[in-house]
Amino acid sequence: MAERIRISTGSSWEPVVGYSRAIRVGNRVEVAGTTAVRDGKPVGVGDAYAQTVCALEIIKESLEKVGAKLSDVVRTRMFVTDISKWEKIGKAHGEFFSDIRPVATMVEVKSLIEPELLVEIEAVAILDE
């Protein structure tokens, strides 16, 4: 069986819920739902664009910790609390992925774990072997 490499970002939710920010098994990397939280505090409160950028930066950092990069991403899933902000969220996503063009899904959800959070993003990456 392939080794599992687990990455934590130190989120207070990780040990309570029992999850890792990212796991690499073989050439596949799964990144858990990622929000715009740094040092335990929401970033870009009220700004869907800024929160998307922050979440994608955290995803990029997590990928790099397991030897992957954004260009390895094949899927993203975006969970948003207000679908009317799709253009701002999509603009930020496009700034990271316009040349990579992974499959992507954006769905509206009732709420996220904290009311200030507007966007949560998951990613899947497959590395060339």
Side-chain angles (χ1 to χ4, degrees), residues 29 38-39 76 83 86-87 93 108 126 128:
V29 181
R38 295 273 193 190
D39 300 319
T76 60
I83 200 71
W86 75 267
E87 289 180 271
H93 186 275
E108 184 176 49
I126 299 176
D128 293 332

Side-chain angles (χ1 to χ4, degrees), residues 7-76:
I7 298 301
S8 171
T9 53
S11 159
S12 62
W13 300 302
E14 290 172 16
V16 173
V17 178
Y19 73 96
S20 298
R21 172 65 43 218
I23 295 182
R24 178 177 175 173
V25 179
N27 71 332
R28 185 177 180 95
V29 181
E30 297 273 348
V31 182
T34 303
T35 57
V37 174
R38 295 273 193 190
D39 300 319
K41 295 186 171 51
V43 173
V45 173
D47 186 339
Y49 172 84
Q51 287 197 9
T52 303
V53 168
C54 182
L56 290 169
E57 287 171 346
I58 293 168
I59 288 170
K60 179 179 183 281
E61 293 161 9
S62 298
L63 289 167
E64 290 170 349
K65 288 179 182 176
V66 296
K69 48 193 178 297
L70 284 177
S71 61
D72 297 315
V73 172
V74 296
R75 168 178 283 288
T76 60

Side-chain angles (χ1 to χ4, degrees), residues 71-124:
S71 61
D72 297 315
V73 172
V74 296
R75 168 178 283 288
T76 60
R77 292 181 187 93
M78 296 165 273
F79 303 94
V80 305
T81 60
D82 183 353
I83 200 71
S84 74
K85 307 281 192 226
W86 75 267
E87 289 180 271
K88 292 177 182 180
I89 297 162
K91 178 180 186 303
H93 186 275
E95 289 171 2
F96 285 79
F97 292 110
S98 63
D99 293 331
I100 301 163
R101 309 227 6 222
V103 296
T105 301
M106 184 186 302
V107 295
E108 184 176 49
V109 296
K110 182 177 177 182
S111 64
L112 297 174
I113 199 161
E114 287 193 10
E116 298 89 359
L117 298 173
L118 308 174
V119 180
E120 182 167 329
I121 304 172
E122 297 178 348
V124 177

